[in-house]
């Protein structure tokens, strides 16, 4: 229905909508915005990369500590008369710290560990043992390195040389030292 204005026969005309808007972005504004975003994202990505690296190292240290603890436990629980079988024993493990016993599987190892038995040591329990050695006590050192089997074995060799020379261990090698005590009664 058309509305009439006064006596005029012409309908009331509404103004046309203005389709020109001032809200659009120019190419220069877009380039500046993208430049600011990129400038802000580069340091954030650097921090993310660092955080992932730190998390990986922490996980590796945790698994290495678990491996060393498990091996010390196995030596301690073993038969004391055959404890020498553990001397310089090397073990290859997967990424979860599970031992790989098959030679074919060892090519996929992520960790290598070496168990070393020290000489009999400890407190002299009587005057019969003037050298100070106690046959019921043994030092155990477990070295754990991560990497391919060849790299890990090389790191273990370097760590062994550093221990023998009294120098610091390579960064990628974890060490666990303990004193084992034979609590079995001699018959």
């Amino acid at each position: 229905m058309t509305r009439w204005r006064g006596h005029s026969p012409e309908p009331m005309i509404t103004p046309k909508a203005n389709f020109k808007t001032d809200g659009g972005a120019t190419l220069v504004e877009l380039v500046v915005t993208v430049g600011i975003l990129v400038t802000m994202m580069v340091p954030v990505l650097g921090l993310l990369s660092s955080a992932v690296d730190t998390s990986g190292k922490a996980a590796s240290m945790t698994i290495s500590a678990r491996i060393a603890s498990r091996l010390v436990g196995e030596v301690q629980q073993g038969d004391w008369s055959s404890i020498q079988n553990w001397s310089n024993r090397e073990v290859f493990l997967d990424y979860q710290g599970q031992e790989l016993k098959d030679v074919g599987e060892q090519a996929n190892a992520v960790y290598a560990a070496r168990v070393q038995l020290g000489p009999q040591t400890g407190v002299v329990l009587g005057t019969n043992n003037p050298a100070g050695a106690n046959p019921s006590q043994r030092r155990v050192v477990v070295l754990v390195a991560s990497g391919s089997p060849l790299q890990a074995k090389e790191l273990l060799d370097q760590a062994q040389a550093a221990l023998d020379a009294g120098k610091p261990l390579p960064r990628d090698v974890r060490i666990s030292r303990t004193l084992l005590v034979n609590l079995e009664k001699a018959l």
Side-chain angles (χ1 to χ4, degrees), residues 153-172:
K153 189 166 174 50
E154 185 177 317
L155 281 171
L156 290 175
D157 292 339
Q158 291 173 2
Q160 179 62 48
L163 276 176
D164 293 343
K167 295 183 179 179
L169 293 175
R171 278 183 85 174
D172 296 335

Side-chain angles (χ1 to χ4, degrees), residues 60-184:
S60 179
M61 287 176 56
T62 301
I63 292 171
S64 295
R66 187 175 50 172
I67 290 168
S69 177
R70 190 187 81 214
L71 289 173
V72 167
E74 287 179 17
V75 174
Q76 178 71 44
Q77 291 176 0
D79 185 19
W80 192 263
S81 62
S82 62
I83 195 169
Q84 196 58 35
N85 294 340
W86 283 92
S87 186
N88 292 322
R89 179 176 171 198
E90 289 186 353
V91 179
F92 295 95
L93 306 110
D94 65 9
Y95 68 96
Q96 293 179 335
Q98 300 299 318
E99 185 174 352
L100 302 172
K101 296 185 180 193
D102 184 23
V103 175
E105 291 178 333
Q106 290 178 359
N108 300 324
V110 179
Y111 295 94
R114 183 179 294 161
V115 178
Q116 298 174 332
L117 293 178
Q120 295 173 345
T121 185
V123 179
V124 178
L125 297 177
T127 57
N128 297 354
N129 201 350
N134 183 343
S136 296
Q137 296 179 346
R138 294 294 291 264
R139 284 184 305 200
V140 177
V141 176
V142 178
L143 301 169
V144 181
S146 60
S148 70
L150 187 59
Q151 291 171 333
K153 189 166 174 50
E154 185 177 317
L155 281 171
L156 290 175
D157 292 339
Q158 291 173 2
Q160 179 62 48
L163 276 176
D164 293 343
K167 295 183 179 179
L169 293 175
R171 278 183 85 174
D172 296 335
V173 176
R174 306 288 171 247
I175 186 169
S176 177
R177 295 181 175 124
T178 192
L179 178 67
L180 297 181
V181 178
N182 180 10
L183 300 176
E184 298 174 2

